[in-house]
Amino acid sequence: MAGLLDEIEPVKASALNAFAAAEDLDALEQARVGFLGSNGRFTALMKQLGTLSKEEKPAAGKAINIAKGALETALANKRSELELKAALPKEPTDFSLPGRRRVLGKLHPLTQVTEDIVRSFRKIGFVVADGPEVEDEYHCFDALNTPADHPARDAQDTFYLAAGSEGGQLSNLLRTHTSSVQIRVMKKQSPPVRIIVPGRVYRRDNADATHNPTFHQVEGLYVDRNVTVGDLKGTVEFVFKELMGPETKIRFRPHYFSYTEPSFEIDFSSALTRKMGKEWLEIAGCGMVHPQVFENVGYDPGVWTGWAFGFGIERIAMIRYGINDIRLFYENDLRFLKQF
Ligand code: DAH
C-alpha cells in the first residue's frame, strides 16, 4: 500500500493551509476537527495504518507521526496568534489620550495625627516605645499605684481575658490605657527616660458619638534629675502649638490620678475650640510621677523625678478636623477617609 505514504504529504499540506487561513478561533477549531477530529481526514490516514503489512508499517508510521507533530505545532502557533488577536482592542489606540491616573492610597486620619504627634515629640528628644495590648493587672494597675477598688479595675469597665494567668494571681486584660508601658519601659531601662507611646487601648464603653470600645492614646514619660511641672507644661505647650496652631493656649487644672502627684487635667484653647463654641476644652491627664511608682520599678524617688501624661488621639483628630462622631474613624467609608 504505497498509497498511504503518498497521501500523507498532500493531506498535511491542505491541513496547514486550512489552519493558516483560519481568521478566528472558531474557524481554526473547524479546521482542526476537519483534519484531526475523530472523523477528520488526517485521522483517517492514521486509521489506515492498521491495515498495512508488517513491512510497510514502520515507514508509514514514522511519516504519519512526523506529519502529526507538524500539524499540532502549526495548530498551537495559530491558536496563540488568534487568541492574542482576540484580546487586542478592536478600535485603534489613541496614544494622545491622557493616561489613566492611579488612585493613590492615603494614611488613615488617625495615623496622620499620630505621626504628627510623634514628629513633634521627636524634635525634643523623645523616642517611641511600645508594649502589649494584652496586658496583666500588674502593669496596667498595681504597678501604677491603682488600688484594687479603683473603678477602672471593675469588670464593667475593662475587658478581662480568661482568668488564671500570671501565676494564677492576676488576670490578663486588654489594656485600658497606654500608661502600662511606662512600667514596662522603666523596669527594663534605667533613667533618664524620655518616651512617647502611641497605641490602641480598650474599654467596655458602648459606642456612641464620643465613645468607642477601642481607641488610641499617646502616653508620654520623662524621668531625669530635677524634672519639674514647668518642664511638663512647657513640653505640652510646645506640642499642642505644633498640633493645633501657634496661638494655642493650655492651662492645668488640679486633678487626681493614682500614679501621679500632683496630678492635672490639661485644657487647651484655640481657634478650633472656639469654633466648637468653647473657650477651653479638656484634652489630657498628666502629673508628676508618684514616688510609689518609682519604688515599684526600682528607681530611687530621692534621686529621680519625672512627669507623665496621656491623651486620646481620636479626640485630637476630631477637634482638628471638626469631626463630630468618633465612629466615623472605624467605618472605613471611603467618602469619609478621602477627605483627609
Ligand atoms: N491613663 C490616663 C487615662 O487613660 C491618662 C493619664 C493621666 C496618663 C495621667 C498619664 C498621667 O500618664 O500621668 O485616662
Side-chain angles (χ1 to χ4, degrees):
M1 260 193 77
L4 177 54
L5 256 179
D6 295 338
E7 276 180 69
I8 294 173
E9 273 310 308
V11 174
K12 175 183 144 191
S14 46
L16 288 177
N17 277 339
F19 295 165
E23 297 236 338
D24 56 29
L25 287 165
D26 280 346
L28 185 64
E29 177 59 10
Q30 268 181 28
R32 185 193 69 78
V33 171
F35 287 92
L36 294 168
S38 49
N39 295 314
R41 283 172 61 196
F42 191 82
T43 311
L45 296 184
M46 294 197 289
K47 283 179 187 161
Q48 284 182 46
L49 262 186
T51 65
L52 295 187
S53 68
K54 257 199 186 127
E55 294 73 36
E56 289 168 323
K57 241 185 211 166
K62 192 174 169 198
I64 288 240
N65 276 338
I66 290 172
K68 190 172 179 229
L71 291 188
E72 280 168 352
T73 307
L75 190 64
N77 289 343
K78 186 68 182 182
R79 186 175 287 134
S80 340
E81 183 193 316
L82 291 175
E83 276 169 355
L84 184 66
K85 194 174 142 198
L88 287 175
K90 307 283 170 283
E91 303 290 318
T93 304
D94 179 355
F95 291 104
S96 69
L97 281 176
R100 243 172 257 141
R101 220 174 270 272
R102 210 177 259 273
V103 182
L104 278 184
K106 279 184 178 179
L107 293 176
H108 192 278
L110 290 178
T111 308
Q112 291 185 35
V113 171
T114 306
E115 291 197 344
D116 288 348
I117 296 169
V118 168
R119 199 175 304 118
S120 297
F121 277 103
R122 283 227 172 102
K123 286 186 188 168
I124 48 176
F126 283 74
V127 296
V128 172
D130 198 7
E133 289 175 27
V134 174
E135 254 304 353
D136 52 55
E137 286 188 286
Y138 174 76
H139 290 91
C140 204
F141 301 127
D142 296 272
L144 286 162
N145 201 32
T146 304
D149 60 357
H150 194 284
R153 301 185 65 149
D154 198 285
Q156 295 289 325
D157 291 313
T158 300
F159 292 109
Y160 286 90
L161 283 90
S165 41
E166 290 293 310
Q169 297 289 312
L170 298 164
S171 304
N172 282 339
L173 49 90
L174 299 180
R175 68 179 179 195
T176 56
H177 53 185
T178 43
S179 305
S180 51
V181 184
Q182 289 187 31
I183 303 300
R184 291 198 172 267
V185 169
M186 287 193 284
K187 286 232 171 200
K188 241 188 2 223
Q189 83 177 64
S190 33
V193 174
R194 218 187 296 187
I195 53 159
I196 53 163
V197 184
R200 188 181 281 122
V201 300
Y202 302 82
R203 296 195 191 165
R204 284 185 70 161
D205 283 328
N206 289 323
D208 62 23
T210 52
H211 296 84
N212 198 64
T214 86
F215 60 103
H216 300 80
Q217 288 187 328
V218 176
E219 192 82 12
L221 174 70
Y222 177 38
V223 182
D224 208 331
R225 295 171 207 269
N226 307 314
V227 175
T228 67
V229 174
D231 298 321
L232 170 56
K233 202 163 177 187
T235 305
V236 171
E237 207 158 49
F238 168 77
V239 169
F240 275 87
K241 278 188 179 193
E242 290 237 316
L243 283 176
M244 301 295 201
E247 31 65 84
T248 302
K249 283 184 289 201
I250 61 156
R251 73 177 182 193
F252 280 23
R253 270 182 300 105
H255 198 73
Y256 173 79
F257 297 104
S258 45
Y259 32 98
T260 42
E261 178 58 35
S263 304
F264 309 96
E265 267 189 340
I266 306 170
D267 298 339
F268 86 106
S269 159
S270 77
L272 291 166
T273 62
R274 286 188 287 280
K275 217 156 102 185
M276 296 170 72
K278 288 194 176 136
E279 184 59 37
W280 294 99
L281 218 62
E282 171 205 325
I283 196 76
C286 67
M288 302 304 290
V289 178
H290 197 293
Q292 184 61 51
V293 173
F294 281 149
E295 297 273 5
N296 294 343
V297 298
Y299 286 9
D300 181 350
V303 177
W304 302 105
T305 44
W307 50 248
F309 67 80
F311 58 82
I313 296 176
E314 277 82 349
R315 193 160 157 78
I316 302 269
M318 287 170 82
I319 296 168
R320 192 171 175 183
Y321 300 126
I323 295 164
N324 55 14
D325 194 321
I326 196 173
R327 290 166 292 195
L328 289 165
F329 288 123
Y330 317 112
E331 285 167 355
N332 286 332
D333 186 333
L334 286 178
R335 290 168 303 177
F336 172 76
L337 295 174
K338 274 184 179 158
Q339 299 174 53
F340 303 99

